[in-house]
Amino acid sequence: MDIRYLKGVGEKRAELFSKKGINTVEDLLYYFPRSHEDRSEMKEIADCNEGETVCVSVTVFSPVSEVRVRRNMLISTMIVSDQSGAMTVVWYNNRYVKGQFMTGDEYILYGKITRNRGKKEIVNPVYEKKGGERFTGKIVPIYPLTEGLTQRIVQSSMELAIKAAGRLKEYIPSEIREKYNIAELNYAMKNIHFPEDFESYNIARERFVFEELLILRLALSGHRKENTQKSGAVFSDTSCVKEFVKKLPYPLTKAQDRVIREILSDCASGGVMNRLVQGDVGSGKTVVAAAAIYAAVKNGRQAAMMAPTEILAAQHRETLDKLFAGTGVTVVTLTGGMKAAEKRLAQDMISTGKADVVVGTHALIQKTTEFSDLALVVADEQHRFGVEQRARLASKGANPHILIMSATPIPRTLALILYGDLDISVIDELPPGRKPVKTYAVGESMRKRVYAFVDKNVAAGIQAYIVCPLVEETEKSDLRNAKELCEKLSRIFPDYKIGLIHGKMRAKMKESVMDDFMKGDINILVSTTVIEVGVNVPNANIMVIENAERFGLSQLHQLRGRVGRGAEQAHCIMIAHGSGEVTKKRMETMCVSNDGFYISEQDLLLRGPGDFFGTRQHGLPEMKIANLFKDGDILAVSQEAAREILAEDPSLSSEKYRALKERADKVIDGGIVMN
Ligand code: ADP
Ligand code: MG
């Protein structure tokens, strides 16, 4: 039902509501209060203490009188009493109260008690005639507002909406609700808005958090594609990986060894692997991926490795060439930036099976690429790849195993939602001998000293990154900043070769700049965040980050991971502006910790639940009620319920789950799922 047909709403208010995305009565019901005010406690005047906010039941003793103290200050007062005593009611700048109250009328007031020249006052109270109470004497919802809407309007519209909606149709089947102890919809709807007591509110809230997370999980599961228990390629020969490991220039860490075993066991099982490998920057994920790829090829199949940027793809290509030298594994590159003829050649090799391994960017998933026998897909730095892309890639082979590598440590709660359908392996150990990057946060006033520090080190043969923020790769002004900074640095350091790399550059240009930097022909590389993921230049041991306050902590951690890849002590200097408490804490977190998981949790904490970064950055829709940080328990239960439902009915086609499916589809159709 359209909200304008709700009593008291009409065209004009309907428009205000629609600003908040509320168009129907159902939308309104799902507009949850931001808090509740406990107006349930009734007190006698004599018992009211200064500072308390309470309800009193009073009789008007003398009607309102007004005093204008200044041009813009009108004070209205009235004396009220109950059997225990009397007090003054005060309103500031309220032209409407005069003439409203008659001596002898009985009212319920709700407001804050103060004391003025020894006398008790209640200030700007909410008032309702006794006997007709709606929003006093009980727990009352407080809603987020928009201009033109008052609490009173939303509250009474909500009251009417609940009446008008009548009995709502439950869409979580009763078995599920009983098993997980979840309140029924009608009870929950009433108590989320107008709870009897706070316990009822909590029960109601739990229901909606459960519902929200369950539906999100179902939406993300891609239930439309019936991707259930399929059989995958069987890599029966896993001992080939031993030869591969033996030839490495270093022994694997225990964690790498364990994760490789987990992968191989998936790939030999007959099922389809869907595994996420999480490992901090520098933990050595590439060689783990290479081992899996090696197994695929030695078992006669094809493998693909996807990277989020061309630079990273090029680097992976180089790494794989080294790791696979002399093993007879044929690797080709396929990226969007390649010339048409090169691309066609690569695609031919892929479709005829002449290429064993393809390394590339998103171009890989374009329709034109056909594989002859794709059995394993590795997606590096998956946080940029969505569920959709995963599914599209999977459709390229029969049922390829999927291995996702992520250096963005994310809090467990988020991982559960984003990757609820994946098994997770964690590389929780760095190769030996790494020195943590020394990190400093400084203000603008230290710039000269920062440059002196850079100068001293570059003179000694070390290379440096200087990173500028680029919020959107399309923002011209940011690009100008990077270019200007580059020119400025050329004047400051006339003897050094300064390079510039940014996302708007042609792929070939980027590659050649990166190449020069790797070879040491560039001393100082000014860059936007294109170097964020995966780039590996061991001699680059200093990083200066401009406007560090504009980056997310996880992003700063990623950036910082570009240095400290060699044996020397690395330094990261963040130049931050603004002196806010949160900025200070964020910078401090970076300085004291090198642990990506800790940093990402702090990031979420410091930004707070209201800021939606944590989820939006990962491509999740805005949460109406769930707090990913605090609702970990309900989250776990809702994910279990989702698994159970999907195991029983993977496509959600049965009548029982129809209503849930409709809601899940809405989440996807909202276009909010995954970039
Ligand atoms: P990331 O996990 O960030 O992708 P990389 O795979 O790029 O890390 O590895 C970082 C560096 O560590 C590379 O230079 C790689 O050769 C090296 N490395 C990986 N594993 C080991 C190991 N077990 N012992 C020593 N060095 C290693
Ligand atoms: Mg990597």
Side-chain angles (χ1 to χ4, degrees):
M1 177 172 131
D2 193 309
I3 191 167
R4 78 191 61 212
Y5 303 125
L6 203 59
K7 209 173 122 198
V9 173
E11 295 290 331
K12 218 161 150 227
R13 283 183 183 167
E15 223 160 88
L16 293 174
F17 274 118
S18 96
K19 272 192 200 153
K20 284 269 171 196
I22 301 166
N23 298 306
T24 65
V25 169
E26 196 192 23
D27 293 342
L28 183 61
L29 292 177
Y30 273 85
Y31 192 63
F32 296 135
R34 90 175 127 72
S35 62
H36 282 87
E37 229 164 61
D38 189 353
R39 301 181 184 172
S40 58
E41 192 184 18
M42 301 290 296
K43 279 206 161 182
E44 302 222 308
I45 291 175
D47 297 336
C48 290
N49 296 313
E50 199 180 337
E52 280 179 335
T53 306
V54 295
C55 280
V56 286
S57 174
V58 298
T59 306
V60 176
F61 184 79
S62 70
V64 173
S65 64
E66 291 183 341
V67 188
R68 189 166 285 281
V69 289
R70 285 194 301 276
R71 218 168 61 93
N72 55 358
M73 172 66 87
L74 175 74
I75 299 180
S76 314
T77 55
M78 157 171 99
I79 312 288
V80 296
S81 66
D82 65 7
Q83 56 177 10
S84 74
M87 73 175 153
T88 309
V89 184
V90 184
W91 285 278
Y92 294 103
N93 284 337
N94 187 331
R95 290 182 288 117
Y96 304 104
V97 287
K98 187 167 165 91
Q100 289 235 6
F101 300 88
M102 310 286 278
T103 304
D105 279 355
E106 294 183 308
Y107 277 88
I108 308 288
L109 309 179
Y110 172 77
K112 189 167 180 178
I113 308 293
T114 59
R115 208 171 260 283
N116 189 7
R117 295 196 203 119
K119 283 200 302 195
K120 253 178 223 176
E121 290 184 350
I122 185 163
V123 184
N124 289 333
V126 172
Y127 54 89
E128 287 182 322
K129 245 197 164 143
K130 197 167 173 188
E133 298 101 312
R134 291 170 70 195
F135 304 110
T136 56
K138 55 174 99 160
I139 297 172
V140 174
I142 305 295
Y143 296 95
L145 297 177
T146 184
E147 197 166 326
L149 283 180
T150 63
Q151 279 307 337
R152 200 51 180 262
I153 294 172
V154 183
Q155 285 161 350
S156 52
S157 305
M158 196 64 78
E159 208 183 40
L160 292 169
I162 287 180
K163 281 204 192 100
R167 240 197 116 61
L168 301 165
K169 202 166 163 306
E170 173 64 273
Y171 34 77
I172 303 182
S174 57
E175 307 102 85
I176 300 280
R177 275 190 288 114
E178 273 157 35
K179 178 160 178 194
Y180 296 99
N181 223 340
I182 298 303
E184 189 274 332
L185 178 61
N186 286 279
Y187 171 88
M189 194 55 87
K190 166 156 193 314
N191 282 283
I192 193 86
H193 293 290
F194 302 104
E196 296 293 328
D197 48 40
F198 281 99
E199 201 192 326
S200 314
Y201 168 77
N202 284 333
I203 292 171
R205 181 180 180 279
E206 245 174 60
R207 140 98 203 195
F208 287 112
V209 172
F210 179 90
E211 172 184 318
E212 181 165 46
L213 296 171
L214 174 69
I215 287 168
L216 179 60
R217 178 71 257 152
L218 293 177
L220 292 177
S221 73
H223 56 262
R224 306 164 159 192
K225 298 192 182 67
E226 296 186 45
N227 56 350
T228 38
Q229 304 299 323
K230 287 178 179 157
S231 50
V234 179
F235 301 171
S236 49
D237 174 14
T238 52
S239 63
C240 59
V241 174
K242 286 201 190 99
E243 312 153 26
F244 171 77
V245 171
K246 231 188 286 167
K247 275 196 264 172
L248 291 174
Y250 42 74
L252 291 177
T253 62
K254 275 209 202 76
Q256 284 171 320
D257 188 59
R258 185 188 69 237
V259 173
I260 290 175
R261 272 170 215 276
E262 285 166 358
I263 292 167
L264 292 178
S265 131
D266 284 355
C267 294
S269 70
V272 178
M273 171 170 72
N274 268 297
R275 187 169 285 279
L276 170 74
V277 174
Q278 280 209 313
D280 217 334
V281 274
S283 59
K285 290 183 293 295
T286 319
V287 70
V288 169
I293 291 171
Y294 190 81
V297 175
K298 289 296 160 180
N299 280 273
R301 317 297 293 259
Q302 278 182 314
M305 186 162 185
M306 290 174 73
T309 63
E310 307 223 344
I311 293 180
L312 199 55
Q315 189 148 17
H316 281 328
R317 171 66 198 272
E318 208 168 297
T319 307
L320 291 185
D321 280 347
K322 270 187 215 146
L323 291 171
F324 294 152
T327 60
V329 177
T330 309
V331 185
V332 298
T333 302
L334 184 63
T335 61
M338 274 161 60
K339 286 210 192 77
E342 287 176 319
K343 223 186 271 180
R344 217 170 308 120
L345 184 66
Q347 279 168 338
D348 272 352
M349 289 184 69
I350 298 163
S351 64
T352 55
K354 277 184 205 135
D356 300 311
V357 185
V358 190
V359 181
T361 51
H362 293 81
L364 269 184
I365 28 181
Q366 282 171 2
K367 285 212 177 77
T368 44
T369 308
E370 294 296 333
F371 291 85
S372 86
D373 190 16
L374 182 64
L376 169 70
V377 172
V378 178
D380 197 21
E381 309 300 348
Q382 128 82 19
H383 60 288
R384 305 221 174 156
F385 290 135
V387 168
E388 290 284 314
Q389 280 122 316
R390 248 199 274 158
R392 218 173 308 156
L393 244 191
S395 69
K396 284 286 169 197
N399 283 305
H401 298 295
I402 294 190
L403 186 61
I404 291 162
M405 322 293 282
S406 174
T408 314
I410 52 175
R412 236 194 105 61
T413 47
L414 264 183
L416 265 174
I417 293 200
L418 280 172
Y419 310 121
D421 53 342
L422 300 182
D423 296 311
I424 299 183
S425 294
V426 181
I427 307 183
D428 48 5
E429 185 185 355
L430 293 181
R434 293 271 168 81
K435 292 191 187 118
V437 179
K438 281 197 178 147
T439 306
Y440 317 86
V442 303
E444 190 59 41
S445 60
M446 296 279 278
R447 185 174 291 278
K448 271 218 168 84
R449 286 181 61 187
V450 172
Y451 287 152
F453 180 77
V454 171
D455 190 12
K456 192 181 86 188
N457 281 278
V458 176
I462 289 169
Q463 288 166 286
Y465 291 106
I466 299 193
V467 183
C468 309
L470 192 60
V471 180
E472 292 273 293
E473 296 264 314
T474 49
E475 271 182 36
K476 283 199 189 104
S477 63
D478 283 330
L479 193 54
R480 197 178 57 227
N481 289 347
K483 281 180 177 157
E484 273 170 15
L485 182 67
C486 192
E487 280 160 25
K488 194 176 112 191
L489 289 169
S490 309
R491 285 194 297 273
I492 297 174
F493 303 115
D495 300 336
Y496 301 144
K497 181 106 183 19
I498 317 253
L500 173 66
I501 188 166
H502 58 78
K504 284 271 129 194
M505 268 158 77
R506 304 257 306 270
K508 276 268 174 300
M509 268 301 282
K510 275 193 258 184
E511 241 168 73
S512 97
V513 172
M514 222 43 228
D515 229 37
D516 289 347
F517 191 57
M518 279 182 218
K519 283 191 300 217
D521 293 347
I522 289 175
N523 304 107
I524 299 174
L525 184 62
V526 177
S527 89
T528 60
T529 51
V530 289
I531 57 155
E532 185 186 335
V533 276
V535 175
N536 192 9
V537 181
N539 189 48
N541 238 348
I542 291 184
M543 177 171 286
V544 178
I545 303 177
E546 296 278 347
N547 290 95
E549 77 284 352
R550 282 172 62 180
F551 293 94
L553 290 192
S554 297
Q555 207 180 6
L556 286 173
H557 181 64
Q558 286 277 319
L559 284 168
R560 179 172 61 179
R562 298 309 106 216
V563 295
R565 303 210 145 212
E568 299 299 317
Q569 177 63 57
H571 299 270
C572 174
I573 303 158
M574 304 179 295
I575 302 182
H577 302 258
S579 53
E581 208 40 46
V582 171
T583 301
K584 235 161 87 192
K585 280 219 186 86
R586 280 157 47 82
M587 294 303 119
E588 212 173 274
T589 303
M590 291 305 297
C591 294
V592 300
S593 177
N594 263 288
D595 176 349
F597 282 94
Y598 172 78
I599 288 172
S600 76
E601 297 236 328
Q602 290 301 305
D603 204 5
L604 211 55
L605 254 184
L606 288 173
R607 291 191 186 226
D611 180 344
F612 175 64
F613 118 95
T615 41
R616 182 163 295 162
Q617 178 179 301
H618 295 284
L620 291 175
E622 190 153 3
M623 299 288 144
K624 273 191 159 55
I625 189 163
N627 177 329
L628 294 178
F629 211 70
K630 294 187 183 137
D631 292 322
D633 291 349
I634 310 176
L635 179 74
V637 186
S638 65
Q639 306 306 292
E640 198 184 313
R643 260 196 300 279
E644 189 177 316
I645 290 172
L646 289 169
E648 184 191 319
D649 181 4
S651 54
L652 301 182
S653 50
S654 66
E655 184 56 30
K656 189 162 117 190
Y657 296 128
R658 213 185 42 141
L660 269 178
K661 180 179 187 314
E662 271 167 22
R663 293 184 73 90
D665 287 349
K666 252 199 217 152
V667 174
I668 294 177
D669 294 340
I672 22 193
V673 171
M674 300 293 153
N675 339 293

